[in-house]
Amino acid sequence: MEKNIRKAAKNDAGRLAEIIVFNNRKNYYPIFRDIVYSFSEYTVANVTEQFLRDSEFMEHCYVYEDQVIKGFLCVADREIKKLYVDTFFQGEGIGTVLLRYGVEKLHADNLWALEKNENALRFYGKLGFRCTDEKIYEEGTTEYLIHLVR
């Protein structure tokens, strides 16, 4: 399935934004409960523009494509910055393929995850990532991010 992974291109920004916005609504809205941010400010159009302006972000992104982009991974300086799979394709092993690619090909060995995102913590744990004692606040919130290392 690694053959399905390629470097992201600028014209992928809209699809990446779509994936991340809907994942954030599904996984983070129940934690943060900020309806204005989740459904008015954090939109596909806004995130697409943000991604297109941030050339460094796009430089570090890889997509999993099988007819359509089903997920993506961003790694910079050995840190997994983002890993998302479209909610319609979760459970198909795409996240595992992307994470293994990040570890094996991009030498990723750490990441930060929201402490209350139990599904993500379980997923990363199955693939060898362990929580450290290091915590920081998610910017602008009272929720913690925890550091995981492999």
Side-chain angles (χ1 to χ4, degrees), residues 84-141:
Y84 287 93
V85 175
D86 187 304
T87 56
F88 287 96
F89 304 110
Q90 290 175 1
E92 296 181 11
I94 296 166
T96 300
V97 170
L98 284 166
L99 186 58
R100 285 193 176 132
Y101 184 88
V103 168
E104 295 168 8
K105 303 293 185 191
L106 306 173
H107 311 291
D109 62 5
N110 75 100
L111 62 99
W112 292 87
L114 194 61
E115 184 176 45
K116 289 185 179 175
N117 190 345
E118 295 173 5
N119 289 336
L121 296 177
R122 213 173 9 263
F123 169 73
Y124 291 123
K126 286 180 184 176
L127 293 163
F129 284 84
R130 299 290 172 249
C131 296
T132 67
D133 291 333
E134 206 174 347
K135 289 183 181 185
I136 58 173
Y137 283 111
E138 170 70 65
E139 186 178 335
T141 76

Side-chain angles (χ1 to χ4, degrees), residues 14 33 41 53 64 76 81-82 87 102 113 127 146:
R33 291 286 184 202
E41 296 171 6
R53 282 192 311 270
Y64 180 98
K81 300 287 191 177
K82 301 209 180 298
T87 56
L127 293 163
I146 54 176

